[in-house]
Amino acid sequence: MKDTEQKFSKTTIVLHWLVALAMISLIAVGTYMEQTETYALYPIHKSFGILIIIAVLLRVVWRMLNGWPKPVGAVKKVEQLAAKVVHWVLIIGTVLFPISGMMMSGAGGRGLYVFGVELLAKNTDPVTGKVAPLNETLAGLGYEMHGILMWVMIAAIALHIIGAYKHHLVYKDNTLKRMLGRG
Ligand code: HEM
Ligand code: HEM
């Protein structure tokens, strides 16, 4: 089923909330584990971070096939434009976050694991036995991207949530309801 002005398809709703929940949780866990140096959380963060790519890519394909949702009712042009920009930032951010994480860990020589299942082996220096980066530039770029994305995505998510509530509480329209499946 395609999305309509009244009702969103199950696919849109399930993918939106699955990716939204994962993003918010991974941003919270990522920030917490880095600030407090809780290394036990790293493999959990990375495993979920890698797995969520499946839902993220399905969602991108679904958006390309289905188009973007049409605004509900009469919304100011400038707000429509703001929503569009924020939606693009959010969807691109959901793709770049896991990719930059994998660049940081994979190219950094730490390997890629999903709950212990090896996707890319760790690279150790045969002499020192320490982790050796496969490509330092790529790993550094991944690290920088991951850090920048954190700020960009926190800002975009905040604007997005404010927008959703403005529709719900000020315009009192169907925008939030149709994403909750109660269109
Ligand atoms: C949707 C997916 C992801 C989100 C939203 C996310 C989010 C974050 C955030 C917000 C931080 C804290 C950054 C900071 O404080 O500067 C972080 C740290 C980190 N993330 Fe992710 N991440 C994701 C996926 C991944 C993946 C797939 C990997 C690796 C396979 C990964 C590896 C790391 C590592 C190693 C750190 C700590 C960096 C450090 O200690 O300096 N992340 N992540
Ligand atoms: C509590 C948090 C959230 C609420 C209340 C919320 C609410 C909504 C609503 C009501 C829409 C429909 C907009 C319309 O009809 O034009 C929407 C669309 C969208 N949301 Fe969220 N959202 C939340 C979190 C997130 C997060 C964390 C992300 C991504 C990181 C995200 C990404 C998107 C995108 C890309 C769209 C465009 C439509 C689509 O691709 O399905 N949202 N959101």
Side-chain angles (χ1 to χ4, degrees), residues 23 26 30 33-34 42 45-46 49 97 101 104-105 143 146:
M23 286 296 145
L26 284 166
M33 71 184 196
E34 202 201 0
Y42 277 53
H45 175 86
K46 294 185 193 183
F97 240 136
M104 167 166 48
S105 291
Y143 179 80
H146 222 66

Side-chain angles (χ1 to χ4, degrees), residues 15 19 52-64 94-95 99:
L15 287 176
V19 173
I52 198 61
I53 288 190
I54 300 168
V56 163
L57 293 182
L58 277 174
R59 181 143 180 255
V60 171
V61 172
W62 179 246
R63 268 292 138 255
M64 290 190 319
T94 58
V95 177
I99 290 179

Side-chain angles (χ1 to χ4, degrees), residues 62-166:
W62 179 246
R63 268 292 138 255
M64 290 190 319
L65 293 176
N66 208 12
W68 291 88
K70 306 259 177 310
V72 176
V75 186
K76 283 186 218 139
K77 273 267 172 312
V78 56
E79 290 187 341
Q80 258 182 53
L81 180 71
K84 214 180 186 85
V85 171
V86 171
H87 287 167
W88 273 98
V89 171
L90 287 173
I91 212 150
I92 292 171
T94 58
V95 177
L96 293 184
F97 240 136
I99 290 179
S100 58
M102 289 197 287
M103 280 162 64
M104 167 166 48
S105 291
R110 288 190 188 81
L112 293 174
Y113 302 86
V114 174
F115 296 111
V117 177
E118 182 181 290
L119 306 181
L120 177 74
K122 206 183 254 177
N123 187 48
T124 43
D125 186 312
V127 180
T128 61
K130 285 192 182 148
V131 165
L134 293 169
N135 184 329
E136 224 156 328
T137 314
L138 203 61
L141 187 65
Y143 179 80
E144 293 301 329
M145 276 169 71
H146 222 66
I148 295 168
L149 278 167
M150 178 180 77
W151 292 111
V152 173
M153 289 297 274
I154 288 176
I157 293 170
L159 288 172
H160 184 63
I161 294 176
I162 293 170
Y165 281 96
K166 185 163 184 198

